[in-house]
Amino acid sequence: MPRKTRLRKVVEPPRFKGYRPFGVNAKNKDGIDLHYEEYEAIKLADYDLMNHKEAAEIMGVSRPTFARIYESARRKIAQALVETKNINTVYGNAIMDKDWFVCNKCHARFNIPKGMDSEKCPACNSINIESLNK
Amino acid sequence: MKTIITSSGKGEDQLFDLRFGRAAWFCLYDDTTDLMDFFENKHIDAPSGAGAKVVEELIEMGVNKVISGDFGPKAKDLLEKFNIQMVILKDDHKSIKEIVENFKS
């Protein structure tokens, strides 16, 4: 029996639910499921321009595993483009990195660990804070 | 509650240091006594794992909150495990005094 899939750390989930091609007549509704961790792999490698080793460390997986996630992501996107399919983002095997917040007044970023229930910014005491994990 | 602020030197007029594991000095602020205490970073020239070594010291001191410019992956994991709050500030032209005044008020 194979080992259980390790959860991949994702810093921020994608800000969209999916992508749809336009200018095509076909009305097929079926799309391709792009996992959060695949989106994250594309983001780290091609948007943040990290090498695979750094990106793998961030996601908490080995470099070969990262390469597989990245390959799978590229193939899914390629398939969606060529076959004019929708891309849907689904949760997959991801875990959100941490519960991080940002203060809208002083732009400090911070986490709120367990046992600390204050709902205000630790740097300026503003209550205008926002979660980064939406 | 005890707070650690990374500092580039000794004294409350010194500038905030954006590094955590390799910060030059640390300022320990205790809000029950309203006192600031400065101490040097012993691990500034450590070949690796400076952040993790600093975190171990902070845990022994019973710190609840750390203010710095960024945290490395090892330090982040440890701080999270021991429920220490991390605060990341971007502005590097603030003095220690200004930062303390900001969260005290």
Side-chain angles (χ1 to χ4, degrees):
Chain A
M1 202 178 123
R3 271 181 78 108
K4 216 174 132 228
T5 308
R6 242 177 113 169
L7 294 177
R8 291 87 162 87
K9 275 190 214 156
V10 171
V11 177
E12 197 193 347
R15 278 175 247 167
F16 52 85
K17 292 246 167 68
Y19 275 99
R20 201 160 51 190
F22 71 96
V24 284
N25 287 325
K27 280 200 180 109
N28 58 343
K29 285 267 165 63
D30 62 322
I32 286 172
D33 288 342
L34 185 73
H35 296 177
Y36 277 14
E37 70 265 25
E38 289 166 340
Y39 161 83
E40 179 81 357
I42 292 267
K43 191 186 89 185
L44 293 176
D46 293 332
Y47 183 79
D48 296 331
L49 300 178
M50 282 182 190
N51 63 42
H52 285 195
K53 195 164 170 282
E54 293 167 348
E57 273 169 22
I58 286 185
M59 289 181 70
V61 295
S62 71
R63 192 201 49 75
T65 304
F66 177 83
R68 275 196 298 277
I69 299 171
Y70 178 63
E71 185 180 30
S72 149
R74 273 194 349 252
R75 291 191 175 172
K76 280 183 181 179
I77 290 174
Q79 193 192 350
L81 291 179
V82 173
E83 299 176 10
T84 60
K85 280 185 170 169
N86 300 346
I87 298 173
N88 307 314
T89 49
V90 296
Y91 205 85
N93 300 308
I95 181 169
M96 286 317 131
D97 191 9
K98 273 141 212 166
D99 289 329
W100 282 85
F101 296 84
V102 64
C103 170
N104 288 327
K105 193 181 156 206
C106 67
H107 308 292
R109 286 175 296 151
F110 54 95
N111 68 343
I112 297 182
K114 268 177 262 158
M116 198 181 273
D117 49 9
S118 69
E119 293 284 308
K120 58 186 186 181
C121 169
C124 69
N125 290 326
S126 160
I127 51 162
N128 188 7
I129 62 171
E130 200 180 322
S131 170
L132 285 171
N133 299 2
K134 272 186 291 192
Chain B
M1 193 164 95
K2 286 178 178 172
T3 304
I4 283 284
I5 304 157
T6 51
S7 164
S8 53
K10 189 184 179 183
E12 56 182 39
D13 298 322
Q14 293 290 330
L15 288 178
F16 170 64
D17 198 328
L18 283 170
R19 297 162 304 171
F20 172 67
R22 289 174 204 282
W25 286 71
F26 295 104
C27 167
L28 175 68
Y29 172 75
D30 193 334
D31 66 358
T32 50
T33 56
D34 196 27
L35 283 175
M36 278 188 232
D37 196 12
F38 285 85
F39 60 95
E40 217 169 340
N41 184 3
K42 280 179 275 178
H43 307 291
I44 191 162
D45 292 321
S48 71
K53 284 173 192 156
V54 170
V55 173
E56 279 167 22
E57 272 184 36
L58 302 188
I59 291 164
E60 272 175 37
M61 283 190 250
V63 168
N64 311 93
K65 182 160 110 182
V66 184
I67 301 178
S68 187
D70 202 5
F71 299 93
K74 286 182 200 162
K76 246 184 196 171
D77 283 352
L78 269 175
L79 288 168
E80 182 147 294
K81 211 163 122 194
F82 286 91
N83 289 334
I84 297 171
Q85 184 170 43
M86 288 173 264
V87 185
I88 300 176
L89 296 184
K90 268 188 184 163
D91 188 5
D92 55 344
H93 297 296
K94 270 191 175 150
S95 70
I96 302 300
K97 198 177 174 182
E98 283 173 294
I99 291 172
V100 172
E101 293 295 328
N102 249 344
F103 73 76
K104 230 166 39 172
S105 57

